[in-house]
Amino acid sequence: MTEGLRYAYAVVRDTDAPEAALDVLTTLEQVPGVAGEPVVAVRHLGLAVLAGTVPAEDFDEGPLRERLEDMAWLEKVARTHQRVVDTAGAESCVIPVRLATICQGEEGLRRMLATGRERFASALDRLEGRVEWGVKAYAATPAPQEPPAPNGPPAGTPNAPGGMSGRDYLRRRKAQRQAAERRWGDTEEGARLVHDTLSGLAERARLHPPQDPRLSGVSDRNVLNAAYLVRREDSDAFAERVGELAGRTAALRVELTGPWAPYSFTAPDETAAPDQTAAPDGAGSAGAEG
């Protein structure tokens, strides 16, 4: 692999082992890249970038810009990108590269490593032996309630259904509103409890914006969307604790995903830009290097 376009997936340490003996490449033998290509390692300055050759008709600057408007194509690329990164990160520390980062040949990949060497090396030092777990909490859909009286004169007046007086109707509506307010309060407080508890078990935590139901396909209100950086050896205990918290209240539905490569924690602090990283739940922006 020398000339042509290269799609970059992630950065790992160069262990100085022969390429055929690199553990991360062994795990990727049966995992093709976004164009069905084999994933290989290009080494430089103590680092290695996992990358594959991709066709210009899809990934050159002009075609890629058009392709990124095709949501079905973008979703397929994002899922494949994530699969490569997470497979590589199952046993090794990897730093995910931003979705659709394209370089010109191996020299472009080496320039990317040289330019980001300090950042990549620092992130690998901080994240060695850590994984990311995602936790989402939703306000569970309440059980169906008796529908309000139909439009028209209040119940209890001539021709009103059900024999309910106007005063009783207003009381019932007030009680329903108060119950709904208490329920939302319970879910918000429950989400805070979940986050505070899990933050105490993790080395770092990051809150993401609530998911848009139009994109997630989940109609329930997302009240917590968080990522937690956890030591690999603590992962079982972390997952068990999430399960315990999930059963505390019927008003809150808690979902655990992972373990992932540490997408949310490659920046050195909470205010740093993620730069060339991708998030597991969404498609990042395209980039070109070299």
Side-chain angles (χ1 to χ4, degrees):
M1 182 176 77
T2 54
E3 300 304 319
L5 298 182
R6 303 292 180 263
Y7 185 109
Y9 296 94
V11 174
V12 300
R13 294 187 192 279
D14 183 359
T15 62
D16 292 326
E19 181 164 323
L22 279 177
D23 290 342
V24 68
L25 290 183
T26 301
T27 64
L28 289 171
E29 285 179 350
Q30 304 301 318
V31 182
V34 296
E37 84 286 3
V39 177
V40 301
V42 174
R43 297 161 154 177
H44 192 49
L45 300 174
L47 301 171
V49 55
L50 305 178
T53 303
V54 292
E57 56 264 32
D58 288 327
F59 291 92
D60 208 358
E61 184 175 357
L64 179 59
R65 188 179 300 112
E66 294 181 6
R67 282 292 205 174
L68 292 174
E69 300 297 322
D70 182 343
M71 294 307 297
W73 184 90
L74 181 59
E75 180 180 5
K76 180 180 177 181
V77 167
R79 290 185 182 279
T80 304
H81 180 112
Q82 181 181 334
R83 183 166 60 248
V84 170
V85 172
D86 288 331
T87 301
E91 300 295 338
S92 305
C93 184
V94 303
I95 304 303
V97 174
R98 185 179 60 190
L99 182 71
T101 294
I102 307 299
C103 298
Q104 294 287 342
E106 289 190 358
E107 279 308 305
L109 293 170
R110 293 190 183 98
R111 280 194 294 272
M112 185 188 78
L113 291 176
T115 301
R117 181 186 182 190
E118 183 176 345
R119 174 170 52 82
F120 289 134
S122 174
L124 286 165
D125 287 342
R126 286 184 290 102
L127 300 174
E128 183 68 47
R130 279 79 173 167
V131 293
E132 176 175 330
W133 287 91
V135 176
K136 296 181 179 65
Y138 299 91
T141 303
Q145 295 182 346
E146 181 185 353
N151 292 334
T157 61
N159 301 320
M164 179 182 290
S165 70
R167 181 176 297 176
D168 288 339
Y169 172 79
L170 293 175
R171 284 174 179 163
R172 185 179 69 173
R173 295 297 293 149
K174 180 179 180 181
Q176 289 174 338
R177 286 195 298 270
Q178 290 174 336
E181 291 169 359
R182 286 194 300 270
R183 181 173 171 274
W184 288 124
D186 290 344
T187 57
E188 295 284 358
E189 183 59 33
R192 280 192 290 270
L193 172 64
V194 169
H195 180 61
D196 290 347
T197 301
L198 297 180
S199 294
L201 300 176
E203 292 192 350
R204 291 176 66 189
R206 172 165 288 183
L207 288 170
H208 295 301
Q211 283 194 313
D212 187 334
R214 294 171 298 179
L215 300 178
S216 68
V218 179
S219 59
D220 291 342
R221 180 170 172 249
N222 183 207
V223 293
L224 176 66
N225 184 14
Y228 303 91
L229 186 68
V230 179
R231 295 179 64 88
R232 286 186 188 273
E233 58 265 34
D234 296 333
S235 285
D236 288 345
F238 182 87
E240 182 178 351
R241 188 63 172 135
V242 173
E244 293 171 356
L245 292 168
R248 284 199 171 186
T249 173
L252 201 65
R253 180 167 58 84
V254 180
E255 292 183 356
L256 175 68
T257 60
W260 312 107
Y263 296 86
S264 301
F265 302 99
T266 55
D269 56 56
E270 294 299 307
T271 59
D275 198 19
Q276 291 178 338
T277 61
D281 287 332
S285 57
E289 300 291 334

